[in-house]
Amino acid sequence: MLIHLLKYSLKMLVKDRIIMFWLLVFPIIIGTFMHLMTARSFEMEEKFATIPIAVVVQTDGKEYIRLLREAAAGQEMPLLEITETTEQQAQALLAQGKAEGIVYAGDTLSLTVQESGAVPSMLQLILNRIEQCRKYDMPYTMENSFVTESNSIGDNMRPVMNLIYAVMALVCLLASLTGCECIATGWGGVSGPGLRRAVSPVGRMKGLLADFLACEIIGYGAACIVFIYMRFVLGICIGDRYPLILLFLSVAVSSGVMMGMFIGLLHFRRERLRLAVLTGMILACCAMDDLMIEGIRDAIEHSVPWLNDVNPAAMISDAFYSLNVYSGYSRFLLDAGRLGGVTVLFMLLCLIIIRRKRYAGI
């Protein structure tokens, strides 16, 4: 019976074009526009990574080669990827796009590039630093002014990525629409499905479990599709720890579904008011997560930090951020645990409301 109810709920949700639009089409549109708005920033983020170069060693260029190798080694993200080759092969690599520039190491360092831009500028800064290191007989280490400058660029990328994380949080919270729709349609007592379930011998808990599983499947599938679209179609580096991301998306979608079920179980005189309250909650959570205006989340963190600790959208964004930035998992597990606590809280509230309704119907 549970499988039959699950199939029925899945068919009901898939055939609802409005629900499918808000779950799948709307986040893709929002994600695409966000990517277009921040395309320059993503280009800078992609460019300020390891730079492949071709090095042509000339007379008296051994000292420069040593410093270039120091710049390309001993770091978590090497500044340079060096290919020592002949001039003819270096020209071929540059023409094929496999090298961003050709460095001639002789009495001095000289650089040849195909076009100007952020990468040639950054490469020229590295070569200037190498010239200084040779002049003053210093090793090329991480403790230099250039690396400090490049790290500040990474810090500036956080507001841009927060928009993308906020979009993923929106996708997960929009799954609440499925939970609200299942409750309003299947347990309202006025519609056809509601009347049939009211006289059905199937217990309420089994029916609600089927609805939850159907909403989870639809919401999780939509979240995975949006993630794949943003990661592999738009090329946004949301993260590469895919098993953890996919597992966390299921937890995040569950919180959205339970929130929708909770709102759906509340008594409203008009159905439109229920939808308005749920939509307002989703928009409020996402607005406090920097989706509309940048800097709100940081302002909340400095004034009322506990608000971010109970905001599902902020937890989802912070979990994505911690996966991309931190090597450990303590902060990610903390966010996942808090989000799971929110899910359990909504579940308990739903059970309390269902219990009261069952006693009221005796």
Side-chain angles (χ1 to χ4, degrees):
M1 182 59 69
L2 178 64
I3 301 299
H4 175 75
L5 293 175
L6 176 60
K7 291 168 59 178
Y8 181 82
S9 298
L10 284 173
K11 289 180 180 180
M12 181 181 66
L13 291 173
V14 170
K15 291 181 180 180
D16 194 325
R17 296 181 180 179
I18 298 178
I19 293 292
M20 296 309 298
F21 170 81
W22 289 110
L23 274 182
L24 195 57
V25 180
F26 180 71
I28 288 178
I29 295 174
I30 292 295
T32 303
F33 275 105
M34 289 292 183
H35 176 67
L36 293 176
M37 290 171 56
T38 58
R40 177 60 179 170
S41 298
F42 285 118
E43 181 184 358
M44 294 292 291
E45 179 191 29
E46 185 175 332
K47 288 180 177 179
F48 280 92
T50 303
I51 303 175
I53 60 171
V55 179
V56 178
V57 183
Q58 297 175 337
T59 308
D60 297 332
K62 294 182 179 180
E63 186 67 17
Y64 283 125
I65 287 295
R66 182 184 65 80
L67 292 172
L68 283 169
R69 289 173 180 171
E70 287 183 6
Q75 303 172 18
E76 294 182 0
M77 180 180 290
L79 298 176
L80 301 174
E81 180 183 346
I82 298 175
T83 302
E84 298 182 29
T85 181
T86 62
E87 183 174 359
Q88 184 177 1
Q89 292 176 345
Q91 293 289 346
L93 292 175
L94 183 63
Q96 295 171 6
K98 297 181 179 179
E100 295 291 344
I102 302 175
V103 177
Y104 295 93
D107 295 335
T108 59
L109 284 179
S110 59
L111 174 65
T112 300
V113 296
Q114 281 190 325
E115 57 184 10
S116 61
V119 173
S121 300
M122 182 179 181
L123 188 54
Q124 188 60 55
L125 287 174
I126 298 174
L127 297 184
N128 292 341
R129 176 63 183 175
I130 291 176
E131 290 278 9
Q132 294 177 3
C133 291
R134 186 188 182 190
K135 181 179 179 180
Y136 296 105
D137 193 21
M138 298 187 306
Y140 194 101
T141 61
M142 287 291 291
E143 293 80 13
N144 57 65
S145 58
F146 171 74
V147 174
T148 303
E149 180 181 352
S150 66
N151 285 341
S152 67
I153 296 173
D155 293 337
N156 293 334
M157 285 302 302
R158 179 175 179 178
V160 176
M161 290 305 301
N162 280 349
L163 292 175
I164 303 303
Y165 300 149
V167 172
M168 292 304 304
L170 175 65
V171 174
C172 298
L173 293 187
L174 283 175
S176 60
L177 296 175
T178 62
C180 185
E181 178 67 17
C182 280
I183 294 297
T185 303
W187 304 96
V190 178
S191 62
L195 292 175
R196 287 193 293 270
R197 286 194 175 185
V199 298
S200 173
V202 180
R204 285 179 175 266
M205 297 305 299
K206 184 176 292 186
L208 286 172
L209 178 59
D211 286 341
F212 171 77
L213 292 177
C215 295
E216 178 72 14
I217 292 173
I218 296 296
Y220 182 70
C224 290
I225 291 174
V226 174
F227 174 78
I228 292 172
Y229 173 78
M230 296 178 67
R231 178 64 184 90
F232 298 102
V233 177
L234 297 182
I236 303 174
C237 188
I238 302 178
D240 54 1
R241 302 180 185 181
Y242 301 123
L244 286 177
I245 291 176
L246 294 178
L247 182 62
F248 176 73
L249 282 177
S250 65
V251 178
V253 170
S254 297
S255 66
V257 171
M258 291 310 304
M259 183 175 70
M261 285 188 164
F262 170 70
I263 298 298
L265 287 170
L266 296 179
H267 176 69
F268 291 93
R269 293 184 178 181
R270 297 181 180 181
E271 293 296 327
R272 293 182 178 179
L273 184 58
R274 176 185 285 109
L275 184 60
V277 170
L278 180 58
T279 305
M281 288 183 62
I282 296 174
L283 293 179
C285 291
C286 293
M288 291 187 294
D289 192 37
D290 289 353
L291 182 63
M292 291 77 168
I293 302 175
E294 179 186 329
I296 292 182
R297 182 178 165 188
D298 289 337
I300 293 175
E301 186 67 30
H302 287 91
S303 55
V304 279
W306 61 267
L307 196 56
N308 283 335
D309 295 335
V310 298
N311 181 8
M315 298 178 201
I316 295 171
S317 296
D318 193 67
F320 274 102
Y321 178 78
S322 62
L323 278 179
N324 279 342
V325 174
Y326 299 105
S327 57
Y329 300 102
S330 57
R331 182 167 174 175
F332 169 76
L333 293 176
L334 179 62
D335 291 323
R338 288 175 178 174
L339 197 60
V342 172
T343 305
V344 172
L345 176 61
F346 280 123
M347 185 182 299
L348 293 176
L349 292 176
C350 289
L351 293 176
I352 293 173
I353 296 174
I354 292 172
R355 184 180 178 86
R356 292 184 61 184
K357 287 187 175 183
R358 185 174 63 180
Y359 279 113
I362 295 177

